[in-house]
Amino acid sequence: MCSIWNIIYKILANLMATSTSSSGYSEKRFWSKCKRCATKIGTESLEKVLYLYYALDSPQCSTKHKATIYGALAYVVSPIDAIPDLTPVLGYTDDLTVVAAALVAVATCIDKEVRGKAKSKVTEVFS
């Protein structure tokens, strides 16, 4: 029987294999969406997204954690959403829910260094 982590690992492998395609995660698409949505979601929400991004470099971040993070970040940058981002008020609710769930799952990877990097980047984006 396949565990949820095996499924997530397969999704991660697929995302990494398609990272240059229009449907997968890519650095360029991630930063583009962060900049485009920064004023709509606010500094606190953007900072939480960046916690995930910078946690990928954390020594505590296992393959399972990385799979969770890549899955959440891929959902955030995906043009296909449960609630379209263009929907007033509720547009980013699904994205932020996925981010919140991922933050809980990878909390051990988010240390002071990760928080510091995220805060610095948010300051840079909003400057």
Side-chain angles (χ1 to χ4, degrees):
M1 185 170 202
C2 233
S3 76
I4 189 70
W5 293 114
N6 288 338
I7 294 167
I8 291 172
Y9 182 78
K10 288 177 185 176
I11 292 169
L12 172 63
N14 187 34
L15 285 172
M16 294 176 94
T18 61
S19 66
T20 58
S21 75
S22 62
S23 63
Y25 169 81
S26 75
E27 293 273 327
K28 184 177 180 181
R29 289 182 61 221
F30 174 73
W31 288 116
S32 174
K33 185 154 186 181
C34 282
K35 288 177 182 177
R36 188 174 64 249
C37 302
T39 56
K40 293 178 184 176
I41 65 172
T43 58
E44 287 183 33
S45 296
L46 179 59
E47 193 169 320
K48 301 303 186 245
V49 172
L50 294 177
Y51 283 175
L52 294 176
Y53 178 80
Y54 288 115
L56 288 167
D57 294 331
S58 172
Q60 294 90 359
C61 196
S62 69
T63 302
K64 290 178 184 179
H65 291 129
K66 288 180 182 185
T68 301
I69 293 169
Y70 276 117
L73 294 180
Y75 187 83
V76 167
V77 300
S78 173
I80 301 169
D81 278 349
I83 303 171
D85 292 343
L86 299 175
T87 307
V89 182
L90 298 176
Y92 292 101
T93 305
D94 60 326
D95 296 72
L96 296 177
T97 302
V98 168
V99 169
L103 285 169
V104 170
V106 302
T108 58
C109 303
I110 301 169
D111 55 18
K112 288 181 183 181
E113 182 180 350
V114 168
R115 287 188 188 101
K117 287 179 181 178
K119 190 164 191 69
S120 294
K121 190 64 172 183
V122 166
T123 302
E124 177 186 322
V125 169
F126 280 95
S127 296

